Amino acid sequence: MSVASIQTSDLTSIPTTNMAVARKIMRALLPAENGIDHAIIAQTDLIGSIVRGRMEMGVAMEVGHDAAVLAASSLAHLFEAREDAIKCHQRLAVTRDALGLDGSDVGCTAGKMAAPRRKVKAA
């Protein structure tokens, strides 16, 4: 049976174990997402340090350039990982919804602000 074919009319019919498992997944998901963001911050700090360090030392631009390029490349990979984490979260939300679980009961909306929606001008 596919997840999409599961229909649940209300939370009272959801086994307690399903809710507990969903909450456990959410408790693992949020630190994983935050870990990627912290790594991005650390990597940008490193790149800035390399560039500032070269300038403060007054050495040629070539000094440390290879390291800065590698740090920038790894930053791009971190953003790819971030995009995959976003997709993972979205797919888990689809599964959650298909199982009839409510996001606020699972804990995935706690303290989070949704992305702003664009306002569409009337014609």
Side-chain angles (χ1 to χ4, degrees), residues 77-92:
H77 292 295
L78 287 170
F79 272 98
E80 290 172 9
R82 190 174 196 270
E83 187 159 333
D84 286 344
I86 290 168
K87 289 176 186 174
C88 174
H89 194 141
Q90 291 167 340
R91 289 186 184 163
L92 286 170

Side-chain angles (χ1 to χ4, degrees), residues 41-118:
I41 292 167
Q43 200 65 8
T44 58
D45 289 346
L46 173 60
I47 294 167
S49 255
I50 293 169
V51 174
R52 274 189 303 278
R54 183 210 56 88
M55 293 171 70
E56 289 173 12
M57 286 188 237
V59 296
M61 195 171 214
E62 294 87 6
V63 175
H65 177 72
D66 55 343
V69 169
L70 288 169
S73 175
S74 66
L75 180 62
H77 292 295
L78 287 170
F79 272 98
E80 290 172 9
R82 190 174 196 270
E83 187 159 333
D84 286 344
I86 290 168
K87 289 176 186 174
C88 174
H89 194 141
Q90 291 167 340
R91 289 186 184 163
L92 286 170
V94 168
T95 302
R96 176 204 66 214
D97 294 346
L99 291 171
L101 299 170
D102 185 80
S104 61
D105 291 323
V106 173
C108 65
T109 58
K112 296 288 179 176
M113 187 169 75
R117 295 181 186 258
R118 291 180 147 186

